Amino acid sequence: MRPLCDLNIEELVATSEKYGQPKYRAKQIMRHIAAYDSFDEYTDLPKSFIAQLKEEYSDRPLTEVTRVTSSDGAVRYLFKTLNEDLIESVYLPHDYGNSVCVSAQVGCGMGCVFCASGKHGLVRNLSAGEILSQVLHIAREKRDNGGVNKIVMMGSGEPLANYDNTVKFIKLVNSADGLNIGMRSISVSTCGLPDKIVQLPDDGISCTLSLSLHAATDAKRKTIMKVAEKYSVDELVDALKTYFDKTGRRVILEYILIDGFNDTKADVADIKNLLKGLCCHVNLIPLNPTDNCSYMPPTKKRAYAFCDMLNSAGVSASVRRSMGSDVAGACGQLKNRTVEEKAKRNKKS
Ligand code: SAH
C-alpha cells in the first residue's frame, strides 16, 4: 500500500490509462488529492476505478497520534505512517499567512549534537507523498482559516539527504493542480550538502534556501555538527553563491545561539569574513535546550546584542521569534517523549 499522493500528474495519467480510464481522470484525482479528500468523496470518478485505486493506494497515509497546541496558536502534530513510524509536523499561524513545517525523514542521520531528531539516528526516508500529506492533513483542517500558504522543510531529517523525494514533494506542492504554493513560499533547510545545493536549480527548484551554519569556522562547526567533517564552510558558501547565481534568490543562514560558545565578538568577525560577497540574511535562533545536550541559549539581551554587532559589521541579521516553544518546540522532542512514555508504561505493566 502506498500513498496516492505520491503520484505526480504523469504517474496519475499512466495509472488512469492502466485501468482503461481517460487521461482527464488524472486531473480529477489531483484535485481530490489537493483537497485531501477521502476516497468516498471522489464522487466524479467511476466506483469501479475507485475500487481499483483502493487496492493499491491509500488516501490517508498518515494518522494523527496526538497534538499539542501552543498558547500562540502553533500546533505540533505527531503522525503515524502506514508502517507505523512516527513523524512530527508543526502548524504556525501568522498575520501574513499560515506555515507548515514538515519532516523529510524518520529520524535523522546527520548527528548534530544539539538536535533531538538525530538522537536515535536515521530510520528511513519519507516518500514525497508522506511529506506532502503532512501539509494536506493540516491544510484540510485549516481550510476555513486560510489554509496553508507557506512551507518550511525544517522538521526532522535532512531534506537534501532525501534528495529525489524532496524535489518531487516541492514540485507537487508547487504544482498549479496541487496546492499551488509558490517557490518563494517554500524554504528548504539543510545542514549543508554542497553538491545537492547546486543541483537544486538544475532540477527546477528555486525555493528559499537556508543553510544551518551555526558556527563560522570549520574547527568550531566540527564540535557540534558531524557533517562539518565532510564539508568545509568555504565549500558551503561557494555552493550558496552558485545557488544565488542560478536562482537570484537571497539565501538564509541559520545560526543557533549557544551561550558563550558561538555568540562572542570573535564570532561576529568570523561570520563577517565568511559571508563576504554573499547575498544573504542571518537568522539568529536562540537554542531550544533539549534533553540530550548541556548547551544553553544566551539571555534575550545577549542575543539582541549579538544581532546588533552583526548588523553594525554590515551583516544583515535578525533574531527569530520562536513560536511554540512551550509545546516541546524543538523537532523530535514530542516523538521522543511519546516513545519514552510508552516504554515507561510498558515497563510498569
Ligand atoms: N536537517 C535540516 C533541517 C532540519 S533542522 C537542517 O539541518 O537544516 C531545522 C533547523 O533547526 C536547523 O537549523 C537545525 O540546526 C535547527 N535545530 C535543531 N535542533 C535545534 C535546537 N535544539 N534548537 C534550535 N534549533 C535547532
Side-chain angles (χ1 to χ4, degrees):
M1 193 64 72
R2 111 178 233 222
L4 183 64
C5 62
D6 256 338
L7 306 188
N8 60 25
I9 195 80
E10 292 82 22
E11 291 165 318
L12 286 171
V13 167
T15 304
S16 302
E17 286 177 337
K18 176 175 140 192
Y19 291 111
Q21 295 291 329
K23 267 190 189 156
Y24 66 80
R25 295 284 181 228
K27 280 221 174 195
Q28 290 178 308
I29 298 175
M30 218 23 148
R31 273 197 292 274
H32 287 298
I33 289 176
Y36 207 47
D37 287 337
S38 59
F39 279 134
D40 54 19
E41 292 170 288
Y42 286 40
T43 48
D44 52 350
L45 263 70
K47 286 215 166 71
S48 56
F49 185 33
I50 299 174
Q52 285 160 331
L53 289 175
K54 268 187 187 166
E55 288 201 359
E56 243 181 292
Y57 299 104
S58 168
D59 56 347
R60 285 289 175 272
L62 296 177
T63 37
E64 193 178 318
V65 177
T66 184
R67 68 165 70 188
V68 223
T69 303
S70 163
S71 51
D72 55 22
V75 186
R76 180 170 288 272
Y77 296 81
L78 185 67
F79 291 119
K80 192 164 70 182
T81 63
L82 293 172
N83 71 325
E84 313 229 315
D85 285 321
L86 294 175
I87 57 170
E88 288 180 32
S89 320
V90 186
Y91 168 76
L92 300 153
H94 305 287
D95 309 333
Y96 50 85
N98 304 322
S99 323
V100 168
C101 172
V102 295
S103 292
Q105 298 179 311
V106 181
C108 183
M110 295 296 137
C112 302
V113 297
F114 47 82
C115 178
S117 299
K119 195 175 170 190
H120 303 291
L122 175 68
V123 178
R124 69 172 175 91
N125 283 331
L126 291 174
S127 72
E130 287 175 314
I131 306 173
L132 179 62
S133 43
Q134 300 169 51
V135 183
L136 296 175
H137 178 105
I138 297 171
R140 182 173 167 112
E141 179 189 321
K142 306 292 179 192
R143 64 183 164 188
D144 297 329
N145 302 311
V148 171
N149 331 85
K150 202 168 173 273
I151 309 280
V152 290
M153 297 192 78
M154 284 192 186
S156 295
E158 168 51 44
L160 299 189
N162 184 13
Y163 184 83
D164 292 345
N165 293 328
T166 290
V167 168
K168 189 175 184 186
F169 158 70
I170 294 173
K171 289 188 173 171
L172 285 170
V173 85
N174 173 243
S175 149
D177 299 315
L179 288 183
N180 200 11
I181 296 180
M183 281 289 170
R184 284 170 183 275
S185 305
I186 303 172
S187 296
V188 169
S189 176
T190 175
C191 66
L193 309 180
D195 314 350
K196 303 294 184 205
I197 290 174
V198 299
Q199 198 186 330
L200 283 169
D202 301 341
D203 288 322
I205 306 296
S206 57
C207 62
T208 303
L209 190 77
S210 299
L211 172 73
S212 298
L213 183 66
H214 306 334
T217 63
D218 291 323
K220 193 171 268 195
R221 201 162 183 263
K222 280 179 190 172
T223 64
I224 52 171
M225 297 174 77
K226 212 170 63 188
V227 71
E229 301 283 348
K230 216 162 162 193
Y231 304 109
S232 69
V233 288
D234 287 334
E235 270 175 283
L236 289 172
V237 169
D238 280 345
L240 294 180
K241 284 182 177 161
T242 304
Y243 189 84
F244 175 79
D245 289 341
K246 288 182 178 177
T247 62
R249 304 295 321 276
R250 182 179 77 157
V251 296
I252 306 291
L253 283 310
E254 286 161 275
Y255 194 93
I256 51 175
L257 291 170
I258 303 175
D259 192 35
F261 170 77
N262 65 356
D263 61 350
T264 68
K265 241 187 188 155
D267 296 297
V268 173
D270 289 336
I271 294 173
K272 179 185 163 79
N273 185 34
L274 177 68
L275 302 182
K276 234 180 357 229
L278 177 69
C279 179
C280 66
H281 179 79
V282 179
N283 257 338
L284 301 169
I285 311 151
L287 177 81
N288 209 324
T290 61
D291 308 334
N292 48 316
C293 86
S294 56
Y295 287 123
M296 290 305 286
T299 60
K300 219 173 177 178
K301 194 174 157 206
R302 190 175 161 98
Y304 280 96
F306 186 73
C307 185
D308 289 343
M309 282 195 280
L310 278 175
N311 282 313
S312 306
V315 179
S316 161
S318 52
V319 179
R320 193 160 77 192
R321 193 169 61 97
S322 100
M323 287 184 80
S325 50
D326 55 333
V327 295
C331 299
Q333 294 198 103
L334 179 60
K335 172 178 168 176
N336 288 348
R337 278 177 203 171
T338 307
V339 172
E340 280 155 20
E341 276 161 24
K342 197 171 161 196
K344 242 189 249 161
R345 276 201 306 276
N346 286 349
K347 230 178 183 172
K348 271 189 203 148
S349 62

